[in-house]
Amino acid sequence: MEMYQELLKETEENGSAALITTLGESLEKNVFRKEEASEIIQNAVEEAKMEGEPRLVEAGDKKYFVESFCREERLIILGGGHVGLALAEFAARTGFQVCVVDDRPSFANTVRFPWAAEVLCEGFASAIEKLQINEYDYITILTRGHRHDGDCLRALYKQKKSAYLGMIGSRRRVKQLKEQLHEEENISQEWLDFIHSPIGLSIGAVSPEEIAIAILAEIIQVKRTEQRTDKVMSSDVDMRVMERLANPDEKRKEQGKAVVTIIETKGSTPRKSGAKMIVYEDGTIEGTIGGGCAEAGISQTARQIIQKGGYLIQHIDMTGAVAEDEGMVCGGVMKVLIEKA
C-alpha cells in the first residue's frame, strides 16, 4: 500500500512515474529512481513512456516488468448544458476524470453531474486559471454563447497546450471568432488551428447524447492514435485501480487480495499490457483485464494465490477452436502476472 501511495504521489508531483517489478524467486517492487537504476532499466522506462505500454526486459539472470504512469487524464467540460451532461457520463465510464465548469448554479452542481470528479460554479476564465491546464487534459468548449467561447479561448491561450481542444458551434461563428482573436488580439494562428471545430467525428449526430458520443469518439481517436511526445496516456493502465491499491476501501482493508496485470499481449486481445484488476478473497473484483471466461479463470487462480502467497505468470490463449468453445471471441494471446497484494 505504501509503495503505491509513493508511486501516486510522485506521479501527481512530477507528471509521471514508473514502477519496476523484479521477477525472481519472489517479487520485488520499487518506484523508479533514475540515479539508482541500471542503463537497461532507464532505457526501458523511456521506451514505456514513449510507446505508451509497459516493457518486459531481461538483465543478466533477472527479468523486469517496467510500467510507466502519468497523471490521470482529465476531460474538462466548459459548459453544463445538455451535451455536457451526456458527455460527462460517457467520459467517466471510459476512464476520464471529468471536470465541469459553468457559471450558473442550476447547471454547475454535483446533483446534476454525479459522474464528475469536480464541478466548478464560477466564470470560465477564473476556473481555467484555477485548473492549471496541462498536456494530459482534454478540453471541450460547450458554452451557451459566442462571448463565453471567447472568454474560454483567451484564458486557455495563456495555459499549457492541452492534449485536445474542441469547440462546438457553427462553422461561420467559429471562423469569425478565430479571425477576431487572431487579428485583434494577436492569438497565434497555429494555436487556433489546433482547435477541433466542428467538434466531434462526423457521424450525423443530432440529439445531445449522439453529439456527446461523436465528441467522445474524436477524443478517444486523438488519445489512441495521434503521435505524441509522451504516449504513456495511450496505455491500458486504469488509474482508479492504482488509487484503490494505494488507498483501500475501509470495508476491504483487512480482506486478502491479489493483483492481476497484463504484462504481454499478441494479437487482438480485449485489453493490452498494463491493464490491471484486483481480485478479493470473496471473489469480487475491481478493474478488468477484458472480461469473459479468461477473466473468470484468472480470478479463480488469483484466489488460490491469495491463500498460498507468492506469484504466478499465466498464459491465456484466446485463439483456435478451444477458445471459441469457451466463449473467447476476441482472439490473441495474453501473459498475465498474478501476485498477492
Side-chain angles (χ1 to χ4, degrees), residues 48-174:
K49 290 175 66 176
M50 290 297 295
E51 297 300 322
E53 60 181 40
R55 283 284 181 270
L56 192 60
V57 298
E58 294 187 28
D61 59 348
K62 292 185 178 180
K63 290 185 177 181
Y64 301 90
F65 182 54
V66 178
E67 301 172 88
S68 189
F69 302 87
C70 71
R71 290 187 186 127
E72 191 170 18
E73 298 152 319
R74 289 190 300 184
L75 176 60
I76 299 171
I77 302 173
L78 301 172
H82 297 306
V83 174
L85 181 63
L87 180 59
E89 178 179 350
F90 300 156
R93 286 182 178 274
T94 51
F96 287 95
Q97 182 187 59
V98 175
C99 174
V100 179
V101 179
D102 202 294
D103 57 355
R104 300 166 290 178
S106 59
F107 283 79
N109 59 76
T110 55
V111 174
R112 179 171 170 80
F113 286 97
W115 295 94
E118 186 175 13
V119 180
L120 299 179
C121 183
E122 60 182 279
F124 293 107
S126 62
I128 289 168
E129 184 177 355
K130 183 181 293 184
L131 286 169
Q132 292 294 295
I133 306 303
N134 62 62
E135 62 270 28
Y136 303 108
D137 290 330
Y138 296 75
I139 303 169
T140 58
I141 301 176
L142 309 174
T143 78
R144 63 189 182 277
H146 177 85
R147 177 171 63 85
H148 298 293
D149 292 346
D151 291 342
C152 290
L153 291 177
R154 291 182 187 94
L156 289 168
Y157 186 59
K158 299 174 184 178
Q159 300 283 320
K160 290 182 179 179
K161 189 176 181 181
S162 58
Y164 170 93
L165 174 57
M167 183 169 67
I168 203 166
S170 68
R171 293 178 187 271
R172 180 181 61 83
R173 191 187 77 168
V174 171

Side-chain angles (χ1 to χ4, degrees), residues 163-199:
Y164 170 93
L165 174 57
M167 183 169 67
I168 203 166
S170 68
R171 293 178 187 271
R172 180 181 61 83
R173 191 187 77 168
V174 171
K175 181 181 178 183
Q176 289 176 344
L177 179 57
K178 285 184 174 182
E179 288 176 351
Q180 176 191 341
L181 293 173
H182 177 60
E183 295 171 4
E184 299 178 12
E185 303 184 36
N186 294 318
I187 289 183
S188 162
Q189 187 62 52
E190 181 182 1
W191 186 85
L192 292 169
D193 290 341
F194 170 69
I195 301 168
H196 291 256
S197 190
I199 194 172

Side-chain angles (χ1 to χ4, degrees), residues 15-29:
S16 64
L19 179 64
I20 313 299
T21 302
T22 305
L23 306 172
E25 291 186 7
S26 61
L27 284 186
E28 181 182 342
K29 288 180 177 288

Side-chain angles (χ1 to χ4, degrees), residues 238-295:
D238 187 338
M239 293 305 290
R240 287 172 294 186
V241 172
M242 302 303 296
E243 179 67 35
R244 184 63 72 201
L245 289 169
N247 303 292
D249 187 288
E250 286 296 327
K251 296 179 180 179
R252 297 190 179 279
K253 187 172 288 187
E254 302 304 322
Q255 188 177 166
K257 60 181 176 291
V259 180
V260 181
T261 305
I262 301 177
I263 60 175
E264 199 170 79
T265 65
K266 292 181 180 178
S268 57
T269 55
R271 298 294 303 276
K272 299 301 181 183
S273 297
K276 292 180 184 288
M277 73 176 184
I278 304 170
V279 180
Y280 295 95
E281 59 185 343
D282 65 3
T284 58
I285 65 172
E286 292 188 68
T288 179
I289 58 167
C293 299
E295 189 169 282

Side-chain angles (χ1 to χ4, degrees), residues 9-62:
K9 181 180 178 182
E10 181 159 326
T11 301
E12 184 59 33
E13 291 178 350
N14 301 321
S16 64
L19 179 64
I20 313 299
T21 302
T22 305
L23 306 172
E25 291 186 7
S26 61
L27 284 186
E28 181 182 342
K29 288 180 177 288
N30 294 287
V31 176
F32 171 70
R33 297 281 180 261
K34 186 173 182 178
E35 63 276 8
E36 301 172 0
S38 66
E39 185 176 350
I40 291 176
I41 298 299
Q42 291 182 40
N43 291 339
V45 169
E46 288 304 312
E47 289 174 3
K49 290 175 66 176
M50 290 297 295
E51 297 300 322
E53 60 181 40
R55 283 284 181 270
L56 192 60
V57 298
E58 294 187 28
D61 59 348
K62 292 185 178 180

